[in-house]
């Protein structure tokens, strides 16, 4: 019974931040433009961190035989890497 209710709710909250989190984020955005962890701002820090993780996963997928786009040429974005089986994209 509980699982069924959770499954009905999940599509609406899985990729959404709660009102409290949205308020906290809105109040902290001004600080995101300040230098952070050796980067010019928090956004550059995040970009560097996620690029490093993306590249590590993409290299592992390539080594396993999957075709992965060249993200220096092809726009990435989102939370997913769409890899194809084989060398041709």
């Amino acid at each position: 019974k509980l699982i069924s209710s959770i499954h009905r709710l999940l599509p609406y909250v899985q990729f959404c931040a709660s009102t409290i989190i949205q308020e906290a984020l809105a109040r902290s955005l001004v600080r995101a433009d300040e230098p952070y962890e050796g980067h010019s701002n928090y956004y550059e820090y995040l970009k560097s961190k996620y690029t490093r993780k993306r590249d590590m996963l993409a290299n592992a997928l390539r080594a396993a035989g999957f075709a992965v786009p060249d993200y220096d040429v092809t726009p990435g974005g989102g939370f997913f890497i769409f890899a194809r089986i084989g060398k041709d994209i």
Side-chain angles (χ1 to χ4, degrees), residues 58 62 67-72 74-75 81-84 89:
R62 283 188 196 101
V68 176
D70 178 356
Y71 290 110
D72 290 331
T74 305
I81 291 180
F82 292 103
R84 295 182 83 165
I89 295 180

Side-chain angles (χ1 to χ4, degrees), residues 4-59:
S4 175
S5 299
I6 291 172
H7 278 273
R8 281 195 308 270
L9 179 64
L10 194 58
Y12 302 104
V13 297
Q14 191 168 1
F15 289 104
C16 301
S18 69
T19 304
I20 294 169
I21 296 298
Q22 290 178 33
E23 179 66 27
L25 178 61
R27 291 176 186 216
S28 65
L29 281 176
V30 255
R31 296 195 59 207
D33 288 325
E34 298 172 4
Y36 186 81
E37 298 282 324
H39 296 271
S40 60
N41 58 52
Y42 185 66
Y43 303 112
E44 290 300 322
Y45 162 78
L46 281 179
K47 179 182 174 186
S48 172
K49 182 177 180 177
Y50 285 124
T51 298
R52 205 169 46 252
K53 289 180 178 186
R54 180 206 62 204
D55 291 346
M56 182 172 45
L57 179 56
N59 289 335

